[in-house]
Structure formats: C-alpha cells, structure tokens
Amino acid sequence: MIVAEHLVKQFHRRAVPDGPASRFRSLFAAREAVRAVDDISLAIDKGEIVGFLGPNGAGKSTTIKMLTGILVPTAGRVEVAGVVPWRHRRRNALNIGVVFGQRSQLWFDLPLRRSLEAIRDLYSVSAADYRNRMSQFDDLLDLGSFLDTPVRSLSLGQRIRGDLAAATLYRPPVLYLDEPTVGLDVVAKVALRDLITSLNVDGRTTVMLTTHDMDDVEQLCQRIMVIDGGKMLYEGDLKDLKRRFAPYRDLIVTPRSPSDADRIDSGLATRVSSPGAAKVTLRFDPQEVSAPEVIHSVSSQFEVSDISILDPQLEDVVRRLYGGNP
Amino acid sequence: MAASTLTALRVLIRLSLATELQYRVNLLQSLIGGAAAQATQLLFIGVILTSFGAIGGWSASEVMLLVGLRMAAHAIYAFFFRRVIDNDRVVHTGEFDRYLLRPVPAFLQLLTRQFNLQQLGDIFIAAAVLGVAVRNASIDWTFGLALFCGASVIGGGLIEASLQTIRAAAAFRLANTDALIGTIDSLVGTYSNFPLQIFGGFASAFFTFAVPLAFIAWAPAAILLNRSADLGFPAEIAWSTPAFGPILMMLAVTVYHLESRHYSSPGS
C-alpha cells in the first residue's frame, strides 16, 4: 500500500557565521545542504498499523510529508495506493487522510460542522454515509457536544478529535497520524485509539502513526520503524525489538517479612533494586533461565506475599535504541 | 470520488464568505478603505488634469477613460485574485500543507482563502468612473467595440493578476517577497493611469513588451478613442488586448504550480 525506495530529502540553508557582524556576513554566506531524510526505504501492507518512531529532528515529519505529497523528494521513489503522491496530488488526496497533532487541517474561523460539511462535499460523500459516520464519530469521539463551536475556540483534545473526524469522513484507505495524541488527556487518547482500531479492523485502513507515546505504539501497532538522523535504525515487530534491545524480564518480589527484603537473591537472576526497598527486583534473561525456575528458587527460600513479572518497558527500549546503546 | 472543480469552487466560496461574515466590523472598515484608496487615485489624476489640461495630447475626458479602464481592470483583479498576495503567509505558516492535502487545485484554494467582499468598494468606484468616462468620451460605439471594451477590462485584470501570481510563485523559494508586492502595485497603479507615450519610446516599449502594462488600459483606450497612432506598435496588436490577459494568467498559474514543488513546509 505504501512503498518508498531510497528516499532522500535535502534542504538548503544559509550558514550563520560566528564573529563580528555575523548577521551582515550571513547575507553573503554560502548555502549548505542539510539531509533531513537520507536513503530511507519502507513498505507497508494494506491493513497494517505501523508505528514510525524517532527522537525530535529524526526526519519523521519530513518522511510523512513526502509520503503525503506535501514535499517532493530530492531523490528516491514513493508510491501510495499505486499513486506517486507529489505528481498526482489530487488523486493521492482521495486515498489519504492526514492528522497533524501540531497543526489543524480545519477551517479555523468556522464551526467544526461547517468544515465537516465542506469535506463531505469536496470528497463527494453521500448524505446517508455522512449521517452514519457522523453518528459513529459522536459515539466514539463525542463530537456532538462541540460541533457548533468555531475551531479556534476548541480545546486541543476537541480540535484533534475534529481533525480525526475530518481525515476519516471519506474513509481513505491510508491514514497518516503525526503525533495525534500529543497533549491529550487519558479519555481523549482512549477515544482516539478506539476509532483508529475500529477503522483498521472494519475497513482494513492502513495506518502510519508517528508518536512519542509508547502506550499508543503498544496498543495499536503491529510493527514499528525507528529512524534517527534521517536513517532507518530499526524495522520489525515489537517483540523482536524488545528481544534485541532489552533481552531481560524483571521479577518483582514482595517478601512477607520486610527484613527479608535485603536478603532475597535467587542465584539465577541479578538483583537490580536498591538496598532498603520494600519490593525486590530480580532481572533475568529468559533465553537462559525460565520465569518458573526463578520463582521457584525465590519462593523455596523465602516467604513471599506478592510476586509479579514485568516485561521491559518500550520507553526504555526505545531510549536505548535512540542512544545507540543496545 | 472528488467533486468537480466547479463544485469545489462553490464549496470554497461558501466557506470563505462564511469566514468573512464572522468579522463584520473589519469587513466594513475594509470596504470603506478599498473605496477610499481608489478615490485617492482619482483625486491625484484630477489634480494633474486640472493643472495641465491634457496629457500626451490626450484630453481630460480621454485620460478619464483610460483611468476608468485601469480602475475597472484593477477591480476585477482585486475582487477575484487579490488573495495571491497572501501566498507568503500561506507558505510561511504551513497553511499550504492543507492545500496540498485536498483534492482541489492549490491555486484555487489560495484565491478563496478569504472572500474579497471588501473589494466591492473598488468595484463601485471603478464602475462609476468608467460609466462617467464612457459618456464623456467621444466614441463611435458599435456592438463589437462594446464587447472589446468589456473583454479588455477582464483581460487587464488578468494581466495584473498574472504579474502578482508570478510574484506569489517566488515565495516558494524566497524567504520574503513583500517588497515585490508593493513594487507591482505601484508600477500598475502609477504607469497604467497615463498614456504611456508621455514616458518616451524606451519606457513605452518596456511597458509594452517587458512588463505588459500597456495592455491594461492604454492600448484598449487608444482603440476605443481611435488613437492607435499614439501606441507606437500596430493597431492589430492593440486589438488583441483581450487575449493577452488569459494567456498570461494561464502561464502564471502553470509557473505557480511548478514552483510549488519547491515548497519546503515549516517544521520539516
């Protein structure tokens, strides 16, 4: 559904020299080339939800903008649903929906309802489909409560829900979501994820999601891509990523007697919690020793009141990946 | 399926009109401002005419016709195409992202980003001036000549629009083109109000073949007043005036769309 091969985007910026009269001298400074995206290739199948991750300035938005047709690539090939986005822009626009968390696609001064009616007419959505989809938006996003409020007066959460409705009203086969949950409260995040899941399950909508929220990724994405410095760092499923960058699991043990806390040690796992903590964390490599073996080893030596196993947090995994620290 | 361009235009005009009506006080101020700016120009020409009586051999009523044609052409540009001057802002704020994501030509979205209701002031003043000028000038009206007059006004508006559109297209590569907007405004506003022969052979050739201001009002006025001998180029070229506007505008829109490929989108 989405194919990019050896994608490059280069911008030219005027260098600002140091020293006296730097502003004046910058007028005559040579322009330098900056590669925001450097040889990225990717392929996303129909019906996939892919997380597109990377630290700030990694080139995520630039890549998304090339896939949506906003930017023309400096080099490389892009095809989305059989269309080259920047070359056949209007045809491409019918196939894609886009939500930028930082920037609204709605008509700022008009009530949300007016924007949605305009989208209905521009994309030739039938009256019956419009009614049904608006009713779904009302159920999932509680849109009805702010439909008649001008977009400029909406809260961030309401505005993003409005943007998501506008981007999906005409049921595009491809949906790009660039930081859609930034600044949203828990309720709004859940509503947004529910709608994305429903569109993906019911309509086989392909979704490319850019986010810094690892809960979004864990709950929505089947596959992730991580970029940094304009280059692809990792591409694969979440389990593989965790296995490669965090090959451990943590056993959390609460001893019945607090005095045992500093003595607990299974011999099969490494103790990582600090001395004096009421709960003890034992880290082990599941490839070398199984969880039941570690649990047995602990519970046969000490009386425990609670025991649980924690998978590595994606947040930590991605931090290691960004830092080049496997 | 995308709506037809005509349906899209109707939808965009509906939205821009609704947006404009949100700010009624601003609308009233702009309406008065637009009319006042046109009236000031008229005052300026009036002073020149009463001081000199005639300009370049053209009588006061003949110059008045030229000014009327210029103002009417400008009103056409201002009412339909004025929003091209917003392209700098649209590019810098990233509003252009939105234009590229919709199944409607980006240029059409730029033109309809705001409804130019305030330019109605320009239209009323221009219509009044042209009406008075046409009555006072000695023209042997025929149906063909009336058609030529109307088409020339539209063509003149398109010439001004094409100059501003090419300027707007520069915004995709240059950081700021504000100074150029003013330059084009003052070039058109100053030189199109006079019979260009008064500026000498070089200037009139420049404003005919390099920056085609001659075809906004001077050439059509010369045809209407039977003064094509003053033009310095064959009358047949002057008769072709109504065609130049549409041709230049098509070229300008093509340039605009080609240049839009250099858009770098803020935040990329």
Side-chain angles (χ1 to χ4, degrees):
Chain A
M1 185 58 95
I2 302 174
V3 181
E5 288 172 354
H6 306 294
L7 213 51
V8 172
K9 184 67 193 178
Q10 194 162 291
F11 294 105
H12 289 92
R13 293 186 180 122
R14 211 172 284 284
V16 180
D18 290 332
S22 63
R23 283 187 187 168
F24 179 73
R25 286 194 295 129
S26 73
L27 289 173
F28 307 100
R31 279 157 38 104
E32 57 184 18
V34 179
R35 279 204 169 192
V37 171
D38 190 3
D39 195 20
I40 282 194
S41 297
L42 55 89
I44 300 175
D45 287 335
K46 183 173 172 57
E48 266 196 288
I49 303 185
V50 172
F52 195 52
L53 315 181
N56 294 329
K60 302 186 295 291
S61 292
T62 305
T63 305
I64 295 268
K65 283 175 181 174
M66 283 192 279
L67 298 178
T68 54
I70 290 175
L71 292 176
V72 179
T74 307
R77 187 178 80 89
V78 193
E79 213 173 277
V80 177
V83 173
V84 177
W86 61 270
R87 190 172 284 141
H88 303 290
R89 208 182 46 71
R90 289 173 69 188
R91 200 138 47 96
N92 176 61
L94 295 173
N95 291 333
I96 65 165
V98 184
V99 176
F100 289 119
Q102 314 279 9
R103 194 180 297 157
S104 179
Q105 307 296 305
L106 303 165
W107 281 266
F108 191 65
D109 286 314
L110 297 178
L112 176 60
R113 187 190 298 278
R114 290 266 197 168
S115 283
L116 294 173
E117 286 170 353
I119 300 281
R120 175 197 64 195
D121 296 342
L122 291 176
Y123 288 84
S124 304
V125 177
S126 73
D129 283 345
Y130 180 71
R131 258 195 318 276
N132 290 339
R133 287 164 198 174
M134 288 301 283
S135 151
Q136 186 197 21
F137 292 146
D138 197 24
D139 289 345
L140 285 174
L141 303 174
D142 190 27
L143 221 58
S145 60
F146 52 89
L147 257 182
D148 292 308
T149 308
V151 171
R152 63 170 186 271
S153 307
L154 295 178
S155 70
L156 178 65
Q158 290 171 330
R159 203 268 290 155
I160 289 187
R161 278 182 276 168
D163 260 310
L164 189 65
T168 58
L169 183 64
Y170 47 96
R171 289 295 185 265
V174 179
L175 195 56
Y176 298 100
L177 306 170
D178 191 4
E179 310 263 4
T181 53
V182 68
L184 294 195
D185 62 32
V186 180
V187 180
K189 275 185 188 177
V190 170
L192 209 81
R193 287 175 196 151
D194 286 350
L195 179 65
I196 295 166
T197 306
S198 142
L199 290 167
N200 175 252
V201 171
D202 302 340
R204 301 249 297 137
T205 304
T206 308
V207 182
M208 192 163 177
L209 171 72
T210 297
T211 184
H212 288 294
D213 187 325
M214 293 307 144
D215 287 343
D216 287 347
V217 177
E218 298 234 47
Q219 292 186 30
L220 290 169
C221 302
Q222 294 124 12
R223 193 154 68 97
I224 63 166
M225 294 170 183
V226 183
I227 71 166
D228 196 9
K231 289 181 183 293
M232 189 73 82
L233 283 187
Y234 174 83
E235 187 196 340
D237 66 26
L238 276 175
K239 277 186 192 159
D240 275 349
L241 178 74
K242 286 184 178 178
R243 208 174 300 133
R244 268 181 61 185
F245 287 90
Y248 60 81
R249 295 172 91 184
D250 286 337
L251 186 74
I252 315 292
V253 183
T254 312
R256 190 173 295 281
S257 161
S259 60
D260 284 344
D262 286 341
R263 299 194 302 123
I264 287 180
D265 197 344
S266 81
L268 299 172
T270 313
R271 190 188 161 107
V272 291
S273 52
S274 43
K279 289 182 178 180
V280 179
T281 304
L282 299 171
R283 182 162 291 178
F284 62 97
D285 182 348
Q287 303 288 325
E288 291 175 4
V289 58
S290 72
E293 284 177 296
V294 183
I295 293 169
H296 176 73
S297 155
V298 172
S299 56
S300 62
Q301 298 177 59
F302 303 95
E303 271 194 70
V304 294
S305 63
D306 189 32
I307 202 159
S308 60
I309 295 175
L310 203 65
D311 278 332
Q313 295 296 297
L314 184 58
E315 196 91 47
D316 296 334
V317 177
V318 169
R319 200 180 307 129
R320 280 162 171 252
L321 191 59
Y322 290 174
N325 178 25
Chain B
M1 190 182 70
S4 70
T5 303
L6 210 62
T7 307
L9 182 63
R10 187 173 52 77
V11 173
L12 294 174
I13 289 176
R14 188 178 77 204
L15 289 166
S16 59
L17 191 58
T19 303
E20 199 66 8
L21 293 173
Q22 297 264 320
Y23 302 102
R24 285 169 207 185
V25 175
N26 181 45
L27 175 67
L28 190 68
Q29 286 172 352
S30 313
L31 207 68
I32 296 167
Q38 286 284 53
T40 311
Q41 286 235 349
L42 200 64
L43 202 67
F44 171 67
I45 297 292
V47 169
I48 289 180
L49 281 176
T50 47
S51 308
F52 298 97
I55 297 178
W58 289 33
S59 70
S61 61
E62 286 172 328
V63 173
M64 183 79 168
L65 178 77
L66 186 146
V67 171
L69 286 171
R70 210 288 296 174
M71 287 173 76
H74 178 74
I76 294 281
Y77 152 71
F79 189 70
F80 293 103
F81 298 99
R82 188 58 174 165
R83 300 277 57 93
V84 291
I85 65 168
D86 296 344
N87 203 49
D88 276 38
R89 194 187 320 159
V90 164
V91 166
H92 289 156
T93 58
E95 186 180 321
F96 199 70
D97 283 9
R98 196 172 77 194
Y99 299 178
L100 295 172
L101 294 173
R102 293 201 180 122
V104 181
F107 187 65
L108 204 61
Q109 295 183 67
L110 172 69
L111 294 187
T112 52
R113 73 183 291 275
Q114 194 183 320
F115 196 88
N116 302 316
L117 214 51
Q118 67 271 31
Q119 309 293 356
L120 282 174
D122 290 39
I123 290 182
F124 290 140
I125 296 272
V129 172
L130 187 61
V132 172
V134 160
R135 271 186 34 185
N136 290 346
S138 52
I139 302 171
D140 296 327
W141 284 108
T142 60
F143 178 70
L145 212 54
L147 207 63
F148 172 81
C149 180
S152 295
V153 166
I154 296 169
L158 288 173
I159 290 173
E160 190 170 352
S162 64
L163 293 175
Q164 289 288 17
T165 301
I166 288 175
R167 192 278 317 158
F172 293 115
R173 291 188 202 230
L174 303 175
N176 190 337
T177 65
D178 277 351
L180 272 172
I181 299 176
T183 306
I184 294 171
D185 268 350
S186 62
L187 262 182
V188 176
T190 307
Y191 292 96
S192 304
N193 280 327
F194 298 100
L196 288 176
Q197 72 269 22
I198 64 169
F199 299 110
F202 176 76
S204 62
F206 179 77
F207 288 126
T208 303
F209 302 108
V211 185
L213 301 187
F215 302 100
I216 292 178
W218 185 44
I223 292 289
L224 291 174
L225 296 166
N226 208 12
R227 278 187 163 278
S228 50
D230 293 341
L231 290 174
F233 53 82
E236 288 76 14
I237 296 180
W239 274 106
S240 314
T241 294
F244 294 147
I247 292 169
L248 284 173
M249 194 63 206
M250 274 194 287
L251 276 172
V253 173
T254 306
V255 168
Y256 180 88
H257 278 129
L258 285 175
E259 283 300 290
S260 73
R261 291 182 179 174
H262 297 278
Y263 174 58
S264 57
S265 180
S268 300

